[in-house]
Amino acid sequence: SVCRRALIMKVAAVLAAMLASASAFQAPRVSRTSVVSMGIRGMDETTSLVNPTGIPAGTPGATVEVGGKPWDPLGLAVYRDFDELRACEIKNGRVAMLATTGWVWPQMFGLFDSKDVTTTDPIKAIAEVDATAWAQILVLIGSFEALEYKHKMSGSTKPFFDPFNQVPSDPAKAALKAESELKNGRLAMIAFASYLSAYYIPGSVPALPAGWSH
């Protein structure tokens, strides 16, 4: 119905806005020479002796949770551009935060008024969403991605989306905000992975009671 589609569009707009606004806390890029694609550890111009990890000094993310060192156990930063890897990590963390909220919300507060989605099972609910609604959501997300890319290519140093001026003007405080988002995203990725594990392998996550995930 028209009302149902309007509701879905409103929810999609809120989610997309959250994704876009989160980009305001992305850490500023650190000026350096790009990593040579598929180089060998310690042998390219970025990692040679001075920086064998390919990770710029002072980059947010080396927190107490990971031993105070950059978290890159597979050494991927040597083979790919670090800014690209960090952007992927931040975006995956944002998606995980939304996904984790979307998984927990129906369990605690129930469903939105809808004739299509009638289950609180998050996996089964995916198939119940109308195909037209999925198309609208994807187009909306794609539009934000295109606008963010255009903003990035413009060379602007301002946040892509910060309507409430949440980014501090003080660089030190802005770095703390960026690190906070990074840590929340990492936690959300672990949480969402645990939900999936508990869903498909009951009892695999002791902290989650049986049947909680659906």
Side-chain angles (χ1 to χ4, degrees):
S1 66
V2 175
C3 292
R4 173 176 52 78
R5 292 181 181 177
L7 175 61
I8 292 174
M9 282 300 297
K10 289 180 181 179
V11 174
V14 171
L15 296 180
M18 290 173 65
L19 280 171
S21 61
S23 67
F25 298 128
Q26 186 165 345
R29 290 170 173 251
V30 179
S31 177
R32 69 184 190 290
T33 305
S34 298
V35 176
V36 176
S37 179
M38 296 308 294
I40 299 175
R41 177 179 288 277
M43 294 299 290
D44 60 62
E45 60 188 46
T46 300
T47 60
S48 177
L49 298 179
V50 177
N51 185 9
T53 65
I55 301 176
T59 298
T63 60
V64 293
E65 293 83 1
V66 291
K69 301 178 180 179
W71 178 248
D72 185 23
L74 300 180
L76 299 179
V78 174
Y79 302 102
R80 296 297 297 270
D81 180 74
F82 178 79
D83 285 336
E84 179 184 357
L85 293 175
R86 174 49 57 85
C88 290
E89 180 183 18
I90 291 175
K91 190 156 291 187
N92 287 338
R94 293 168 182 167
V95 172
M97 286 188 276
L98 290 174
T100 301
T101 302
W103 194 301
V104 174
W105 184 279
Q107 318 294 330
M108 300 179 64
F109 304 106
L111 302 170
F112 290 108
D113 185 18
S114 171
K115 295 181 180 179
D116 289 338
V117 180
T118 59
T119 177
T120 58
D121 185 309
I123 302 302
K124 293 180 179 179
I126 295 174
E128 291 187 353
V129 176
D130 186 87
T132 304
W134 277 120
Q136 294 172 339
I137 292 172
L138 291 176
V139 168
L140 187 62
I141 293 175
S143 298
F144 274 102
E145 287 289 325
L147 291 172
E148 183 181 16
Y149 178 78
K150 181 179 179 181
H151 178 268
K152 178 181 177 181
M153 292 296 100
S154 70
S156 174
T157 58
K158 296 181 179 180
F160 166 58
F161 188 77
D162 185 26
F164 302 110
N165 296 317
Q166 298 180 35
V167 180
S169 56
D170 181 3
K173 293 181 179 180
L176 288 176
K177 283 283 188 179
E179 188 170 271
S180 177
E181 181 193 18
L182 185 64
K183 293 167 69 172
N184 287 337
R186 289 172 174 175
L187 179 61
M189 287 188 276
I190 294 174
F192 188 71
S194 71
Y195 295 166
L196 284 176
S197 178
Y199 184 91
Y200 288 107
I201 311 174
S204 60
V205 183
L208 298 179
W212 173 86
S213 58
H214 57 281

